[in-house]
Amino acid sequence: MSIRPVVTVPNPDQVAADVKYARLHEIFQSSEEDGEPGLSISEFKRAMRKTVGHNLTDDQIEVLFMKVDANCDGVVDWEEYVTYNLLEYQERTIMYEMLKDKPFPPEIREIGSRHRDMIVRVAFFPAIQKRIHSGTIDYASGKYVTLSKEGVVSFWSLKMKHLKSYTTHTHTDRATQPWLIDLVCMYNVNMLAVTSTDREIIIFDLQANKFQKRYFLTGIENCITTMNYWASLRDLNRAILIWGDTGGNIYVIVFESCLRGGPFGTPSGKATFKRVSLPEVLRHFTLGVKGYKLANIHDDWVSQVAYIPQLHCFLSCCQSSKTSMYFGDIEKKKTSTYFSVNKGILAFDYCPENNIIVTGGMDYLVRVWNPYVNNKAIVVLMGHSKPVTHMVINVKKNQVVSIDKGRTIRVFDLKDQTCVQQISGRVVKLGPFPLSSIYFNPKLQSLILATNQIAVLERNIEEEKNIEVISHNKPIFAALYNKTFGSVVSACNDSVVSVWDLGTGEKVIQFVNAHKKVERGVEIPIEITAMTFDPPGRRLLTGARDGSVKVWNFNNGACLQQFRTPEGLDITGIVSTQHRIYVTGWCQTVHIYIDGAGEEHLKTWRTRHKDDILCMSYLSPNIIATGSYDGDVIVWSRDTGQVYCTLNAFVTKNPIAENKQKKGSLQESETDQDDDEPLSSNRSTGIWKEKISKKASGAMHLISKFRERASLVGRERRMSRVVNKDDILSLRSPSPHMSDESSSSQSRLSSQAQDREEYDKFCKTYEAGIEKILFLEKRDTLNKNTAMLLTSGAEGWIRAWSIHHLGGLLGQFNGSHRVGESVYAMATDGNNEYLFTGDTMGVVKVWDITEYCTRHKYTAKDRESRWKLLYKTFTYLRVLYSEDDVPKSLTSRSLKPENIGKRPPPLSSEPRVTLKYPLLVNSYRAHTKSITNIEFVDDRKVIITTSTDCSIRVWTLNGLFIGSFGETWGPLPKSPAIVHSFRIRIPQDLRRIGSAKSLKVLNHGRHPLWRYAYDTIKTRGLDKAQAHFDQQQKQQTTKKVEKISEDYQIEAELESSKVLGKSYKRKVRHKMPPIIPKFIETAGSVSKEIFSLIMIAVYHSLPFTELEHVDSINAPEVDDVKRRYYGSHLRDKFKGQARRKEKAPAILALFNVLTQAKPTSPGKIIKKDRMKKIYNKMQEHQLGGVDMVVHSDMGNPSNIHRTEGHEGVWEDDHVVPSGSGTVSSSGSFVKH
């Protein structure tokens, strides 16, 4: 027989693509031969149109060129183009693998059970309606059944709630109990079949919630190893029971009339069960039942057997290499097939939709077979490190679930032939044994695992629907909008960088472990703490907590440059200019690197900050500002590194020039030399924390003292008035002639001023940190009355500065939603008309700053038109005001948060002059946790917020929620000015915690009229329902009265008889109590109280935890307990009172019953002769300097006193040393 070679037909599309790429390669090579470094953008456009990019527009080709040309040299060569495509494909493949839907959760849910030994089978018992035949099993209706070796059968609900348990074998006359091996559900007749090592099959009837033995199949030659059952749902009379044994034989029993008296007919006579002989069944002696024996199918024990109704055949497997799996029909009318696998097959599953068989065996491989091709598997899936013992096909998701002996679970995708999910065996904590049985519910997508314990892997779909969409798995540091490519780049604490499409919300690409360290061969991500773009917007610069800085082509995840700062401390600020990269952080200085060069070209500016730098910002062309933890904002010259000025509201409102700063530093060095000590490059980051710890003990009482003082003063004057001007003047120039009242007032004001100074000192030390610096680029830099630099940080204070030498602090206001919160995020629009802030409470605020701290002022007419524009744009204004409420100014001094008096600005900032608020035009809750960054996109007029709640959300300018990155939305228009084009929806977490005002803003000011309608319908419906209910109650009461009277009449007739006379008495039958299963009974009669405390049974293994260390009991405590016990016993004996009989512990009584020993009573622990001996010794003897005197009252000893010279007391013929004391009448020992 000749074998034809397999001819592979090439894919026409693939051939065409190869030709186009070859043509593109020739174009690049021709440019290199001409001496050009690559293709320019115009040449690249022509080359792409001729080859692979004929469907792309000019804009798309330009974007592709900029992505490839990351170094911005204006040309692209073949190496750059191919490298970009390969890296992009690689990173996208990894991203898709990570974003694939995981079928199971990462953690299991353990279920408590009454099983003590290994669970041999977990099965599903479907609920079958005999009148309605759908043809398929409904896996959402039914119950689970589990069987363990000791013979316990447990029933469970679909949510794995225990329903009831039974025992299959109740042999009390046997020395050993049989092991149960397998179980099948005969769902068409509501029965259950089990098999054991006794080589028998017992079928139990579950009718009427009973568990009664119905059939007993005997005469089986070998021990059964596995069973399977199938019933036709269209004809419930037809069913097949099939099993395999230790001899490699297959037995098949075909039932043709299951509903006519049962599978094997009705029991004869009064018998409750029927014995059935297997040889008679094989000879077809039983009516409606046919038996078949397929001898010596396998060379080894049958591991698994299953009937396949779609093929009218069955499958069986064993651990033999020759007869690993058998595929054939029952009557052997079709050609049978053997599948051979090295070391055999342990488990298999069949998929009728794809007509494939999946097997797992001893060689750690998962194979996919065609049932009609046995010489070679279609697909071989690798990944297991131990023999594969269980196989399941998830038809709904086209996946294969395999489990090995190490309890490792792997899920393979049949389409991609890749591993979708892997759950380590360490996660499946079910004792030291391998998994003995599993069951997968295809409807609920839950996997039940069993050893001697039970666990479930299930996904709660309802809860997942209510869970908010998250963009990252860890808290997000920031998200930046890139104007060049129109995308958003975000980074989280897990060092994952993601690129998102703003138009659709989809993730374009992501790369993990951007900053990492390797420990013991494992990559550990390092948190990203700084991020920015280069001036053209083609590259991304990131800084990490370990002091490393990397430059990325974020479109394909390629690292173009990396370096590390000398100190190796946190990077908190990065600025990229033309050919220069400025880096700063906790090193308290600014490092300069050359773009594209190595670390050897490092330059460092002179250290000016005295504390860690927290942020840095850049104003083109030559101004850089840095802010530190102590509140200093230093403005630098980018070219020379010279300091223009220093700004600090806790020192003065005026800018501090360089020469003044030097003088101040010299004065400080005289008073405190340590503060002016230069900082070395390797200085530890914990110095400032040590300073805090030294001063914290004395600082916390200052702020509490000030808060109490502020609350008292607030009763006398308004909270907004921080310090009265007259009070300050009186403090500066006190009058020489003062009355008593004025002197007391002055002392009170002096105390207040002193407390205020202490509070300002505390805030300067701990709450002056600058978290964000923002330049207003459109404002006039050279005007001293125009603020062009904004700072924010702790306590929520936002300050507006002019960097002119005569400028300084022009305005300040608290931008937090609640006093005490901090503002870490700020942004502005391109025209500097709006200020966007986000605080640690998760609230976004929008301020109109067109008139704030600027020389430009509106006329009345312009202000009215501006107000109308704002009123039309923002829902917040429409909720609070009317259109006619035109403000006189867009800057106010009265708009202040509540309790602002408890957290006032420092006196050095002159709050009476600088405290002013811009117009608040919008405010709403955007996140449940702190907002870490906020961006405003001028092109589309949307706000992008990031938070520590792991979400990135997009909002319109007026506060309408568009969506979260991670979900997809419709194409975002270029300028979404018309808010009605978006569907109004509110995130679920904000629905729970949002205030009424926030919800109204997020709902676009609309009132929930449907709630009013619902309440109206509910009220009217309740009235009708109440009337109907009252009428039904009246009818039921009448029926009950009639029934009671009728029952009394029937009872009276039954108590007497007209035929037998008055001597007749009705016979009363009592119901017997239910029989308790044997495995919780004992040989003797034990009280119910004992059984409520403990259940005696033999367990295969029990879960336990290590015992905690217990301190040793002190000897005096033990002695005191002994004295109390024996003292009270002696007192009762002397008085002649009967000792109350104490109950022994339940466990002791149970032990006595089991061992048939007499119980030991606590009252007999001390013998009578010993009591008498002790009594005589106390009366007659005096030992060791101890005088025992017995005082009697009415002839009975009541107290036992000891003299001063004693050293001990008698107890059980021993002397217990103690101090002097008295044994009271209650039996306690009292010291004198």
Side-chain angles (χ1 to χ4, degrees), residues 1-13:
M1 183 179 65
S2 61
I3 301 176
R4 295 182 179 180
V6 180
V7 179
T8 304
V9 179
N11 187 359
D13 296 335

Side-chain angles (χ1 to χ4, degrees), residues 532-536 539-541 549-551 561 563 573-584 590-598 601-605 616 618 621-622 624 637-641:
T532 188
F533 292 114
D534 64 341
R539 295 176 299 168
L540 175 71
L541 291 85
V549 179
K550 293 186 178 182
V551 182
Q561 184 183 0
F563 47 85
I574 302 176
V575 168
S576 177
T577 63
Q578 196 72 20
H579 307 301
R580 293 290 185 274
I581 298 175
Y582 299 82
V583 180
T584 188
V590 179
H591 299 292
I592 307 172
Y593 295 88
I594 297 177
D595 192 358
H601 301 283
L602 170 66
K603 293 183 180 180
T604 302
W605 284 347
M616 182 166 60
Y618 171 65
N622 62 345
I624 290 180
S637 170
R638 180 183 67 86
D639 299 329
T640 62

Side-chain angles (χ1 to χ4, degrees), residues 440-451:
F440 177 74
N441 191 314
K443 180 71 174 180
L444 304 180
Q445 295 291 304
S446 60
L447 181 65
I448 302 175
L449 312 173
T451 55

Side-chain angles (χ1 to χ4, degrees), residues 282 357 455 464 499 899:
L282 295 177
I357 303 171
E464 290 180 358
V499 182
N899 301 327

Side-chain angles (χ1 to χ4, degrees), residues 227-287:
M227 292 195 304
N228 183 252
Y229 185 82
W230 169 83
S232 174
L233 296 181
R234 299 193 180 277
D235 184 7
L236 297 179
N237 285 302
R238 295 185 64 252
I240 293 177
L241 176 63
I242 183 172
W243 72 81
D245 58 17
T246 55
N249 306 312
I250 302 296
Y251 291 85
V252 182
I253 297 180
V254 180
F255 302 99
E256 296 180 351
S257 57
C258 292
L259 301 181
R260 300 171 187 174
F264 293 101
T266 57
S268 60
K270 296 183 179 180
T272 57
F273 68 93
K274 180 180 180 179
R275 289 184 177 272
V276 181
S277 175
L278 179 61
E280 294 181 358
V281 174
L282 295 177
R283 297 188 185 98
H284 300 177
F285 288 170
T286 305
L287 184 62

Side-chain angles (χ1 to χ4, degrees), residues 970-1043:
L972 193 66
K974 292 296 182 180
S975 180
I978 305 176
V979 297
H980 302 287
S981 60
F982 298 99
R983 180 173 59 90
I984 296 177
R985 61 191 184 99
I986 303 175
Q988 293 293 333
D989 53 354
L990 299 183
R991 288 180 181 271
R992 294 190 297 267
I993 66 172
S995 63
K997 189 180 296 183
S998 289
L999 294 177
K1000 203 166 185 179
V1001 172
L1002 297 177
N1003 204 31
H1004 200 237
R1006 299 179 183 179
H1007 298 279
L1009 299 177
W1010 58 269
R1011 185 175 294 277
Y1012 173 76
Y1014 173 78
D1015 293 337
T1016 304
I1017 295 173
K1018 183 179 178 181
T1019 305
R1020 295 179 181 179
L1022 282 177
D1023 296 336
K1024 294 182 180 180
Q1026 185 67 31
H1028 183 66
F1029 178 78
D1030 294 339
Q1031 185 178 1
Q1032 284 187 344
Q1033 286 290 104
K1034 188 175 181 180
Q1035 293 177 359
Q1036 291 179 2
T1037 305
T1038 306
K1039 289 181 180 180
K1040 286 182 180 180
V1041 172
E1042 294 176 356
K1043 186 176 182 181

